[in-house]
Amino acid sequence: MRVDRLFRDARLATMAGGGPNGGLGLIEDGVVATEGGRVVYVGARADAPRLDPVETVRCEGRWITPGLIDCHTHLVYGGDRAHEFELRLKGASYEEIARAGGGIVSTVKATRSAKPRDLVDQTLPRLDALIAEGVTTLEVKSGYGLDLETEQKQLQVARSLPEHRDIGVVTTFLGAHALPPEANGDKQAYIDLVCHKMIPAIARHGLADAVDAFCEGIAFSVEQTAKVFGAAKAHGLPVKLHADQLSNLHGARLAADHGALSADHLEYTDEAGAAAMAKTGTVAVLLPGAYYFIRETQVPPVAHFRKHGTAIALATDSNPGSSPLTSPLLTMNMGATLFRLTVEECLLGFTRNAARALGRDDIGVLEPGRRADIAIWSVEQPAELVYRIGFNPLYQRYRGA
Ligand code: DI6
Ligand code: FE
């Protein structure tokens, strides 16, 4: 069989098979053959058909995984919040900072005033950090515009990133992230704007692959979130949710009831929420970077996810306020150390289950027919990808067509 590229002398973690949170699909002395940007063969060298490659990549015993998928980021925004971080370290409270014009509103201001080109320039170093650790697809949320024009600008910038780097981008509209200052505290009116003006326009222009909301005391209620989900569905867009991050508003159940692709954060989710998610196949996206950075102490209910078979994914949640993190490898280490996830759960969380959280069945697993998105690692065993802190063993990264 003639193929574009043959990866040989490799050890493979294909991520195929197993239950919702198990099954790395390990193959010793494996090969991967790709043609037209897709995987055409993956398996043991001994079982492979005769392959006639244009290019051969000798992996010298290194490990191959699918390219990593960061399924929850807020990567595109203006400005930064380092100064606010300094103030917090000196004892300022979140409220004091917000009253002094800081917090999420300062990022909204900086994002509104940035030209698209400036946003691209500010985003690329963060994107490069992800790419350097093997990321081949990422999700980017809006939510720092909070008006139609800026939300569209954020999504357009996110959609343009593949013009600058070899990366796959999935976009999510997060208009219901926070209340903009001009709403003068009227959450209901702002949610009406999101539902009746923003979602229809964003759907019409094809700018988002999904719709997300922040359901929380400091953000939007269950009823307001349900309205956003209704509008998303009316425009054919799947939904996701920032749920139960700071308190249990039963966001996990709400997400499951709406057939959401994922519910994310979930520190305060209860067993009923975890069970409801398992039933609808809603993925639990855990974000240890935010847990760490805001010094949360409530751990997400991992035992309940395991018991009910709720698929677990992991992501950086890269954002300027609660998770200024651009390292999937450190995120996996945090998932293991802080949430006691297993090595399998961490690796599946950045591959197969991350793909599910984005509703994608063409990435996240190495198997025939899927995209040839591949990361090659200079490690002796997959556990090293989770075990090390601040060390990057990526050898090569490939993206299919
Ligand atoms: N949850 C968070 O932790 C961030 N957004 C969200 O929905 C906070 C974002 C920020 O402070 O900029
Ligand atoms: Fe987030």
Side-chain angles (χ1 to χ4, degrees), residues 170 319 341 356:
V170 174
N319 79 69
L341 297 180
R356 270 188 59 181

Side-chain angles (χ1 to χ4, degrees), residues 51-67:
L51 295 163
D52 177 18
V54 175
E55 183 196 347
T56 299
V57 180
R58 288 178 194 282
C59 298
E60 298 165 321
R62 292 182 178 87
W63 279 89
I64 288 182
T65 67

Side-chain angles (χ1 to χ4, degrees), residues 150-203:
T150 315
E151 290 287 311
Q152 285 185 318
K153 179 172 70 179
Q154 262 192 292
L155 294 169
Q156 276 157 352
V157 165
R159 284 256 201 257
S160 79
L161 294 174
E163 295 165 23
H164 304 275
R165 295 292 186 273
D166 188 14
I167 187 75
V169 174
V170 174
T171 59
T172 300
F173 171 63
L174 178 57
H177 187 197
L179 197 62
E182 65 274 12
N184 292 320
D186 192 344
K187 289 186 182 177
Q188 205 48 60
Y190 180 66
I191 287 297
D192 285 344
L193 187 74
V194 166
C195 293
H196 299 131
K197 186 168 166 218
M198 296 195 198
I199 288 176
I202 277 155

Side-chain angles (χ1 to χ4, degrees), residues 74 81 94 104 144 177 214 242 245 265 317 319-322:
H74 309 248
R81 309 246 288 273
Y94 193 83
I104 208 165
Y144 286 120
H177 187 197
F214 187 18
H242 282 68
Q245 181 187 3
H265 287 289
D317 194 16
N319 79 69
S322 67

